[in-house]
Amino acid sequence: MQSVWSTLFRSVPMQEPTREVLPTLDEDELQLDWYRQGSDRLAVISHGLEGHSRRPYVLGLARALLAEGWDVLAWNYRSCGGVMNLQPRFYHSGATEDLTHVVNHALSGDYKSLFLSGFSMGGNLTLLYLGQQGEMVDSRICGAVTYSVPCDLAGSAEVLALPSRRIYMQRFLKDLHVKMQEKSRRFPDLIDTNGFESIRTFREFDDRYTAPLHGFRNAEDYWAQCSALPRLRDIRVPALMINATDDPFLSAKCFPETRKLLGDHVRLEAPRWGGHVGFVEHARDGFYWSERRALGFLSHLS
């Protein structure tokens, strides 16, 4: 219930964002949603697998941050946000070059502080980016909060392959099938969707599509290179990873507890309840627990 509640029942009233189309270095495009109110502080929010910048969990956090005086940038991965991207590649859990491009674009303005947040796949992407930046991270990046992070991609793929998770897996594959069909129409020599209906797991999907389209040998190579878990110790800004213990998507390795794994700057919180990107709270102001936790974390950074 926590995992599906906000998708089915939550509505977050928000002002219309300003849409910007950001060209990439490889002649593609990223769709950015800006919520500006003249702040010198900016939060960049990264959504989950097959999500987009208007998902309730993104809007809920954006609304909370706006109320605290932040500007917000919610961006869409390639092929997300209602616009198919131009290149054969689309997005994946380790596409930090796109997050880097978005962050550098945002920091080219007048912002003095930048905060990062990510949900699910976006959480892995955010932590992997910070780990890769290491000591070279821009001094204006003040910290990050991530939720429901599958930082162990191989283990999480195994969890989602379980029969008890079939309803989630079928939903993801249904959405991905639509995208791959469009990709196939645009690039018939590169992408073939014949037999897609036989795909049942992320291992099969990533072996057939994600890995070859993005330069990995296979699914195992993709998961190994793009899991944030081995890079957590390299992060050099305060980062909070919130993974609920009842999350139906995460493996046991997604709950690292030792300093050897977390490093000196990452903190794991594992509430008993929350599901996957749930953390539901019924309050008069409409905020969820996850949004209050982000604001509380930010209050200790400033």
Side-chain angles (χ1 to χ4, degrees):
M1 285 299 295
Q2 289 266 357
S3 302
V4 301
W5 180 271
S6 98
T7 299
L8 295 177
F9 303 113
R10 191 182 193 191
S11 176
V12 181
M14 282 282 288
Q15 66 197 61
E16 278 297 309
T18 300
R19 173 60 62 97
E20 178 185 7
V21 179
L22 178 64
T24 65
L25 299 178
D26 61 346
E27 300 183 342
D28 212 333
E29 296 176 345
L30 299 172
Q31 312 295 319
L32 315 184
D33 282 357
W34 286 92
Y35 299 89
R36 293 187 176 98
Q37 54 185 0
S39 178
D40 62 359
R41 301 177 297 163
L42 176 69
V44 175
I45 302 176
S46 300
H47 61 76
L49 179 75
E50 280 307 283
H52 52 76
S53 60
R54 308 290 182 93
R55 288 288 198 202
Y57 59 82
V58 174
L59 295 180
L61 180 58
R63 180 176 62 177
L65 290 164
L66 286 166
E68 289 294 308
W70 291 74
D71 281 6
V72 175
L73 168 55
W75 69 292
N76 294 280
Y77 311 146
R78 303 188 195 213
S79 81
C80 298
V83 179
M84 181 56 69
N85 67 304
L86 306 176
Q87 296 292 337
R89 63 162 296 180
F90 50 113
Y91 68 91
H92 62 82
S93 295
T96 52
E97 66 276 12
D98 284 347
L99 179 54
T100 300
H101 191 47
V102 170
V103 169
N104 290 344
H105 175 64
L107 288 175
S108 67
D110 297 325
Y111 290 108
K112 297 179 180 179
S113 296
L114 188 142
F115 166 70
L116 296 172
S117 188
F119 295 86
S120 190
M121 193 196 86
N124 184 83
L125 189 68
T126 297
L127 295 174
L128 181 62
Y129 162 78
L130 290 173
Q132 291 171 345
Q133 292 293 304
E135 299 283 357
M136 302 300 294
V137 66
D138 192 290
S139 61
R140 290 167 289 181
I141 297 178
C142 62
V145 173
T146 57
Y147 304 93
S148 306
V149 185
C151 56
D152 166 36
L153 294 175
S156 294
E158 291 178 4
V159 169
L160 280 165
L162 296 172
S164 59
R165 305 326 195 249
R166 186 175 301 155
I167 186 172
Y168 302 113
M169 199 69 246
Q170 288 176 339
R171 175 65 182 272
F172 284 135
L173 289 174
K174 179 181 178 182
D175 292 344
L176 288 166
H177 191 191
V178 173
K179 285 189 176 178
M180 299 319 296
Q181 285 176 316
E182 184 170 348
K183 288 282 188 185
S184 180
R185 288 191 291 269
R186 295 187 182 197
F187 306 100
D189 294 335
L190 291 175
I191 300 170
D192 180 10
T193 58
N194 289 325
F196 190 101
E197 296 81 1
S198 66
I199 294 176
R200 295 288 183 269
T201 66
F202 276 131
R203 178 180 294 278
E204 294 168 341
F205 179 85
D206 290 338
D207 265 336
R208 182 169 177 181
Y209 295 109
T210 310
L213 284 172
H214 301 98
F216 302 104
R217 293 192 306 274
N218 50 34
E220 290 283 353
D221 181 46
Y222 158 52
W223 296 336
Q225 291 197 47
C226 295
S227 292
L229 182 61
R231 302 306 300 267
L232 297 179
R233 65 175 72 93
D234 300 322
I235 293 174
R236 292 297 182 267
V237 298
L240 178 62
M241 180 167 63
I242 301 174
N243 286 350
T245 58
D246 67 341
D247 191 316
F249 289 23
L250 303 184
S251 69
K253 288 185 178 180
C254 293
F255 298 87
E257 296 180 347
T258 66
R259 279 292 138 212
K260 182 178 179 181
L261 290 171
L262 292 170
D264 294 330
H265 298 275
V266 180
R267 175 180 174 184
L268 170 70
E269 289 187 0
R272 183 178 180 184
W273 309 111
H276 191 75
V277 192
F279 308 105
V280 178
E281 178 181 338
H282 297 292
R284 289 189 177 185
D285 60 10
F287 289 5
Y288 275 14
W289 177 88
S290 49
E291 293 143 20
R292 296 189 200 283
R293 187 66 193 91
L295 298 184
F297 182 76
L298 275 170
S299 69
H300 292 292
L301 298 183
S302 54

